[in-house]
Amino acid sequence: MSKKTPFFVLAAGALGLVAVLAFQNGGFTPITPTHAVTSQPQASQTGRALPDFSTLVDQAGPAVVNISVVKKVRTAGVNPGIDPNDPFFEFFRYFQIPAPQAIPQQGVGSGFIITPDGHILTNAHVVADANEVTVKLTDKREFKAKVIGIDRRTDVALVKIEGSRLPVVRIGNSSQSKVGEWVAAIGSPFGFENSVTAGIISAKAR
């Protein structure tokens, strides 16, 4: 079993913000509010151990949420004034472009709960300028969320839902990770809850 402090780090990529968990010393140590349980690696045909992510996903997955937003986006149309004395007045009046309008635009992303009372980390580009933010948990509960803060440079945002005793993940020190270690990423891209992928750390500080 790993004796090191388990941790989540943030990763922003094509699928948005995901929780990334490090696999150290041959075992995963899932993060829970009360205890940690290490899942055992499975033996491969070559005799070498392969990581088993199932226990990790069962325990940490409920803290990964789907975030949907509604934004009001203005169209690029214009409604120029036309001189009635212009020879093409009737032509332009007939084909004139409509005035700009604010139309609703929907978007989705991932996030994860970091406090039992409902603070959630997500991508800044997901919730920036949103008029409505809805958070959906894996148990199908839905909450209206408030945007607390946004950092566009790092593309990270903090939102808040009203809840209590919610499942959480804990952010640790990513400097403990090493290139070549196994990692698992849990996200909720495109509305699919708890999509899981795995790989190794290919580089750091990028």
Side-chain angles (χ1 to χ4, degrees):
M1 294 179 64
S2 172
K3 299 298 184 181
K4 296 185 178 181
T5 303
F7 60 88
F8 282 76
V9 296
L10 307 184
L15 298 182
L17 192 70
V18 292
V20 180
L21 303 99
F23 180 80
Q24 295 181 325
N25 295 344
F28 261 114
T29 308
I31 298 170
T32 66
T34 58
H35 64 283
V37 178
T38 302
S39 61
Q40 297 299 321
Q42 301 296 314
S44 68
Q45 293 179 351
T46 63
R48 294 188 176 183
L50 295 176
D52 178 3
F53 300 95
S54 58
T55 302
L56 177 83
V57 174
D58 287 342
Q59 295 194 20
V64 181
V65 301
N66 173 259
I67 296 178
S68 59
V69 301
V70 176
K71 303 179 183 182
K72 294 295 181 67
V73 180
R74 294 188 64 83
T75 61
V78 294
N79 190 11
I82 303 175
D83 184 356
N85 297 319
D86 191 300
F88 294 98
F89 171 74
E90 292 297 330
F91 175 83
F92 283 114
R93 187 177 69 166
Y94 183 79
F95 290 104
Q96 67 178 314
I97 304 172
Q101 302 180 54
I103 59 174
Q105 183 182 72
Q106 295 182 332
V108 294
S110 302
F112 50 95
I113 307 169
I114 59 173
T115 64
D117 63 346
H119 285 91
I120 298 170
L121 284 178
T122 185
N123 285 111
H125 73 264
V126 172
V127 298
D129 304 318
N131 299 95
E132 298 178 19
V133 180
T134 302
V135 172
K136 184 177 181 181
L137 277 59
T138 57
D139 61 10
K140 308 304 181 184
R141 285 185 294 168
E142 293 189 6
F143 299 85
K144 293 297 183 183
K146 177 182 179 181
V147 178
I148 302 299
I150 293 176
D151 184 356
R152 295 179 186 270
R153 184 179 63 85
T154 59
D155 195 25
V156 174
L158 181 69
V159 302
K160 177 71 168 62
I161 61 176
E162 296 301 323
S164 62
R165 303 181 65 181
L166 297 171
V168 301
V169 297
R170 187 177 64 214
I171 299 176
N173 186 356
S174 60
S175 65
Q176 296 177 9
S177 64
K178 297 179 180 179
V179 173
E181 285 183 329
W182 280 99
V183 292
I186 307 175
S188 186
F190 312 116
F192 301 125
E193 64 183 42
N194 273 194
S195 295
V196 182
T197 189
I200 63 170
I201 299 175
S202 61
K204 296 176 62 175
R206 291 184 180 175

